[in-house]
Amino acid sequence: MLEVSPVRAFSDNYLWLIRAPGDRTGAVVVDPGEARPVEIALEQKSLELRAILVTHHHPDHVGGVRALAARYSAEVFGPARETLPCECRPLNGGAVVKLASLGLEFDVMDVPGHTLGHIAYHGHGALFCGDTLFSAGCGRLFEGTPVQMLDSLDRIAALPDETLVYCAHEYTLGNLRFAAAVEPGNADVLETLDAVQALRSRDGITLPSTLGHERRINPFLRCREPAVRAAAEARAGRGVASAADVFAIIRGWKDGFR
Ligand SMILES: [Zn+2]
């Protein structure tokens, strides 16, 4: 199993630091929106940054890339279909990131929806999914369509139950409040909401999650469940024809949910 630690940045971002199993002093960071917190974490752990993995082009995911890549001569990997602030090895879905000297290898997945070129990294039983999947939620559709996002989430949901999900934001509590509004009868949602409320009251970190757990609590992975469909129909005041329609309705509902 990978040794992964969260580096906090901005108000609620997590920049995930992966310790290289094949290199005692090597580390990789995912989506460094800020350089300084990563530098501090590396110094504390006596690690050198060897590579940077980027999921999408938003500033809170790439803001520190240029400074970190220059300081550590780290190799940068990113989505082929998006423009990053510095040179990177462009990746499309189906590619494999092989970091042989670090003992790391990740499969790249295309997961459009939040942005059109968004990619995710899967390997060693872990998924680094940026702003595509959150615990009990998913990213806003800034560039893609509901059909694209549902397809991306369906392909993520096909990964094994025990996959550890490293999302890029601490949004879990707000997402669970929404999940409880969609499925007030879902005991897993209510139980997790209690646990997460307690954890967040002492500033605890709710990630990583697992895909098996997300399938039970995340309304956006549950668009084909009768209860979620019924909630979407009640919200829309009409019958709903497809899972993509269910997804579109609950995503729109969540956008205005407080
Ligand atoms: Zn984003």
Side-chain angles (χ1 to χ4, degrees):
M1 198 190 283
L2 287 183
E3 196 180 326
V4 182
S5 47
V7 176
R8 294 184 191 221
F10 309 112
S11 58
D12 51 30
N13 284 66
Y14 293 130
L15 326 179
W16 296 106
L17 195 66
I18 306 166
R19 205 173 177 130
D23 175 348
R24 212 171 45 80
T25 60
V28 172
V29 70
V30 183
D31 284 353
E34 253 189 309
R36 194 61 200 137
V38 177
E39 291 170 347
I40 292 168
L42 290 165
E43 281 160 23
Q44 282 170 349
K45 295 168 191 289
S46 303
L47 293 171
E48 293 283 322
L49 193 65
R50 307 272 193 247
I52 298 169
L53 305 180
V54 174
T55 63
H56 69 292
H57 68 86
H58 285 160
D60 62 320
H61 295 252
V62 302
V65 170
R66 187 197 286 271
L68 290 169
R71 174 165 174 186
Y72 296 97
S73 303
E75 199 169 4
V76 183
F77 297 84
R81 288 181 291 160
E82 297 192 351
T83 306
L84 302 190
C86 74
E87 289 273 299
C88 77
R89 293 268 288 272
L91 301 170
N92 283 299
V96 180
V97 177
K98 281 197 178 109
L99 302 166
S101 62
L102 305 183
L104 288 168
E105 187 170 315
F106 294 100
D107 295 323
V108 177
M109 299 171 70
D110 278 326
V111 288
H114 177 69
T115 65
L116 282 175
H118 201 305
I119 58 174
Y121 300 86
H122 174 239
H124 309 269
L127 176 74
F128 298 91
C129 52
D131 289 352
T132 297
L133 179 67
F134 296 120
S135 184
C138 75
R140 280 178 189 258
L141 302 185
F142 285 119
E143 298 176 14
T145 65
V147 169
Q148 283 175 317
M149 188 61 143
L150 183 62
D151 178 61
S152 296
L153 293 174
D154 282 346
R155 282 179 292 105
I156 285 175
L159 297 172
D161 270 0
E162 61 277 14
T163 307
L164 293 170
V165 183
Y166 292 92
C167 322
H169 290 274
E170 181 59 69
Y171 288 162
T172 313
L173 182 55
N175 287 342
L176 281 164
R177 289 188 176 127
F178 176 71
V182 175
E183 284 190 277
N186 183 328
D188 291 316
V189 167
L190 302 179
E191 219 173 88
T192 309
L193 177 56
D194 280 347
V196 163
Q197 251 159 352
L199 191 55
R200 292 301 299 144
S201 70
R202 44 179 203 273
D203 198 29
I205 294 173
T206 64
L207 300 170
S209 185
T210 67
L211 268 181
H213 187 60
E214 291 306 313
R215 268 192 283 271
R216 293 195 297 277
I217 65 161
N218 193 322
F220 298 100
L221 298 186
R222 297 172 58 77
C223 292
R224 294 171 186 86
E225 292 292 325
V228 175
R229 169 181 286 246
E233 290 183 335
R235 176 77 186 173
R238 61 175 170 84
V240 168
S242 67
D245 283 341
V246 172
F247 177 87
I249 292 164
I250 61 172
R251 185 57 262 180
W253 179 3
K254 174 69 169 69
D255 287 345
F257 186 82
R258 292 290 173 272

